[in-house]
Amino acid sequence: EPEVTQTPSHQVTQMGQEVILRCVPISNHLYFYWYRQILGQKVEFLVSFYNNEISEKSEIFDDQFSVERPDGSNFTLKIRSTKLEDSAMYFCASSVVAGGDNEQFFGPGTRLTVL
Amino acid sequence: GQQVMQIPQYQHVQEGEDFTTYCNSSTTLSNIQWYKQRPGGHPVFLIQLVKSGEVKKQKRLTFQFGEAKKNSSLHITATQTTDVGTYFCAGLALYDYKLSFGAGTTVTVRA
């Protein structure tokens, strides 16, 4: 069964450093998403991406965040200068069709720890 | 902005008992989805409800969408230890493309 993959599974970084979280969505999916889940809290939408551009973003997704699809398979989330409060689990998801109109498949997540 | 509220936050259930988790949106929804997240895992899609008053069943799980499309519920009968996890509802508002997740109901089961 196809699945979304994410690397690394755990990333530890110093405050102020840049991190890049990587995701490989399911191959025939067209819509890609990043979510964040602070430990013990709810899943929060960050950004959605379609046709090589951001289609929607939340207030969390400020200028420190960027997304990119550098090639035909990878989808990345970059945090330019990490803050302590960026520590969370970051989930990538993908879907065949737009937004919440269809099942979203989540990857296993990357746990980001900012020291 | 749209807010999705979910209660209860925690549900401790005796194995074999039933329970219900409720989800309410501040705005009318286009659809609502339910996800389950096992401890240490990632959200896994369970179901999507689209029509007003819709009821769907998956074995011991019954999902309902309110007539006004602003609330939803998940009812689990005869709870088993495999039901342990956090159940999230996620709503899509009208004219929107992003899912808003509720805070989740974390279920623990006493054998």
Side-chain angles (χ1 to χ4, degrees), chain B residues 20-67:
Chain B
T20 304
T21 172
Y22 300 91
C23 186
N24 287 288
S25 169
S26 59
T27 59
T28 303
L29 298 171
S30 171
N31 67 48
I32 194 158
Q33 298 178 8
W34 285 88
Y35 290 79
K36 178 181 178 181
Q37 185 176 25
R38 292 185 185 278
H42 59 276
V44 174
F45 177 85
L46 294 176
I47 210 155
Q48 175 173 280
L49 304 169
V50 180
K51 299 176 186 172
S52 168
E54 188 170 15
V55 178
K56 287 188 177 180
K57 292 193 175 189
Q58 284 181 353
K59 296 182 182 177
R60 296 177 295 101
L61 277 60
T62 301
F63 303 84
Q64 190 164 11
F65 202 9
E67 294 290 340

Side-chain angles (χ1 to χ4, degrees), chain A residues 9-41:
Chain A
S9 56
H10 192 186
Q11 174 89 51
V12 181
T13 189
Q14 294 290 327
M15 192 169 56
Q17 295 296 305
E18 174 184 285
V19 294
I20 297 177
L21 310 182
R22 292 184 165 78
C23 168
V24 178
I26 294 173
S27 62
N28 65 329
H29 286 189
L30 301 177
Y31 294 83
F32 315 118
Y33 316 87
W34 282 101
Y35 292 88
R36 178 182 82 176
Q37 186 177 33
I38 295 170
L39 186 64
Q41 297 187 23

